[in-house]
Amino acid sequence: MPLLTLFTAPKPFTDPHIRMIQDNMLRNWQALGDEVEVVVIGDEPGIAEHCQELGLMHLTGVRCNELGTPLISSIFALAREVSESPFLVYANADILFLPDLLDAVRRLSGVKKRFLAVGQRWDMDIDAPMDFSEGWEQELLARIRDEGVLHTPTGSDYFIFPRACFQDIPDFAVGRAGWDNWMIFRARWKGWPVVDLSEVVTVVHQNHDYRHLPGGLKHYYQPETGVNVRLGGGRRTIFTLHDVTHVLNADRLQRKRLDWSGFWREVEIFPLIRLHSRVLGWLFFALFHPIKGYGELRGWLAEKLKHRNVN
């Protein structure tokens, strides 16, 4: 039985650069070996043909929203149904891994029954098909050292968790912002360790533009991002890698060391994640960020007034 199931929901294979990036991704995941089961989900053009060519499992019938965007809840459910591995890994369809992913999952499995593992990525411009024959790991590492740019701890491109976790996910739109932040928030809400793997897992993001999205706008500015945030419980659920609880390094898994800003961040979110009070969570946020809190309150009141006038 594989150690983990690595699954994704690719974009259409119609744009030449996106097609190349996603082909690199699929071949990279295959190169990780027999301990990884790769599952590709979606009905977008070109997915079926690529999966057939590479001999990968392809699942169709994913549920979509009214705009035709696949839903995270359906993607996760489909992957869980066909896999038997003890760990699931969702990653965006432009992400490359190295074998250190497997080492990290093995180490975590020995110390934690429930957890969420995330980490930073290296951004790279990749403009040609990649070779994943023997020795590819060393070549990719060398290229990362020469060309890679470490992304800030604000975005999450992969999520590792035991299969018993995350069985109740809202109908988030894939490829839009907000749902990845909710994953970290939800783990903190549940009291699961959120582990930063940045020191031990090397992840590459293949840079691309946003021509595939409506209007060519980045996912942050798509209307579905606002829907994602609302489904997740509002802006207070926007958690990032700054909100992890543990760090896995070369020696061991340890609690994250808090600096001054980290300490006050934990105080700020305490009523939300420990007391499970959204009201107190907002009040504490407003206490720490009075200007933003006042702005959010004005926005909320304006929306309520607008809704009342419409009705």
Side-chain angles (χ1 to χ4, degrees):
M1 182 175 65
L3 173 67
L4 57 88
T5 297
L6 190 50
F7 66 100
T8 192
K11 307 172 185 68
F13 280 75
T14 50
D15 179 89
H17 189 234
I18 294 296
R19 181 171 64 247
M20 181 207 67
I21 283 176
Q22 295 186 155
D23 184 65
N24 285 340
M25 174 270 298
L26 293 175
R27 294 179 187 277
N28 166 254
W29 291 11
Q30 277 190 310
L32 295 175
D34 295 337
E35 288 187 280
V36 175
E37 177 183 40
V38 179
V39 176
V40 186
I41 300 171
D43 303 290
E44 305 290 355
I47 294 180
E49 293 79 2
H50 258 75
C51 289
Q52 184 176 9
E53 177 185 345
L54 297 177
L56 294 174
M57 184 184 300
H58 173 220
L59 303 180
T60 60
V62 62
R63 291 192 301 113
C64 299
N65 64 17
E66 65 278 3
L67 298 178
T69 306
L71 300 177
I72 290 293
S73 54
S74 181
I75 294 167
F76 276 53
L78 288 170
R80 197 188 310 272
E81 287 174 7
V82 301
S83 68
E84 297 182 354
S85 57
F87 301 99
L88 301 177
V89 184
Y90 174 86
N92 292 334
D94 47 24
I95 293 299
L96 307 177
F97 290 101
L98 276 90
D100 52 18
L101 169 71
L102 298 170
D103 296 332
V105 173
R106 290 191 201 97
R107 292 176 61 193
L108 285 175
S109 67
V111 293
K112 296 294 180 183
K113 291 184 178 180
R114 292 177 184 260
F115 63 83
L116 173 66
V118 291
Q120 286 179 265
R121 74 192 197 205
W122 292 89
D123 292 326
M124 287 179 56
D125 292 325
I126 296 178
D127 55 8
M130 300 179 69
D131 180 8
F132 294 102
S133 58
E134 185 176 356
W136 67 269
E137 302 97 325
Q138 291 73 27
E139 293 181 10
L140 182 54
L141 280 171
R143 188 169 177 181
I144 293 169
R145 286 193 293 268
D146 292 340
E147 306 172 25
V149 177
L150 187 63
H151 197 79
T152 60
T154 55
S156 301
D157 291 77
Y158 70 95
F159 303 94
I160 306 170
F161 52 94
R163 63 179 301 110
C165 300
F166 293 107
Q167 298 193 44
D168 54 347
I169 298 177
D171 286 339
F172 297 122
V174 73
R176 310 300 187 262
W179 79 267
D180 52 339
N181 309 100
W182 178 89
M183 292 285 288
I184 299 174
F185 160 76
R186 185 64 173 175
R188 294 296 309 267
W189 176 280
K190 289 281 191 178
W192 303 334
V194 180
V195 184
D196 187 353
L197 301 183
S198 302
E199 293 187 33
V200 295
V201 174
T202 307
V203 177
V204 173
H205 169 259
Q206 303 173 88
N207 294 333
H208 56 82
D209 59 29
Y210 292 88
R211 286 178 294 175
H212 60 282
L213 292 179
L217 296 175
K218 295 187 70 171
H219 57 299
Y220 300 110
Y221 307 114
Q222 295 293 330
E224 290 160 295
T225 286
V227 176
N228 279 357
V229 173
R230 289 194 295 272
L231 286 173
R235 297 188 60 82
R236 301 288 65 75
T237 66
I238 302 296
F239 280 39
T240 69
L241 294 178
H242 292 295
D243 297 303
V244 302
T245 61
H246 291 71
V247 174
L248 185 67
N249 56 37
D251 299 320
R252 59 193 173 93
L253 177 68
Q254 63 182 29
R255 292 284 305 187
K256 173 187 173 182
R257 294 180 179 178
L258 296 178
D259 57 16
W260 195 241
S261 63
F263 169 78
W264 286 114
R265 170 63 174 169
E266 290 297 314
V267 173
E268 176 189 330
I269 64 177
F270 177 84
L272 181 61
I273 63 172
R274 298 297 294 275
L275 303 180
H276 292 178
S277 172
R278 295 183 182 275
V279 173
L280 287 176
W282 186 87
L283 288 174
F284 267 55
F285 168 79
L287 178 65
F288 280 85
H289 309 281
I291 296 177
K292 291 182 179 179
Y294 175 69
E296 286 192 10
L297 179 60
R298 286 189 60 186
W300 180 80
L301 291 173
E303 186 66 26
K304 286 292 184 181
L305 184 59
K306 178 181 177 181
H307 182 73
R308 177 180 296 179
N309 291 337
V310 169
N311 292 337

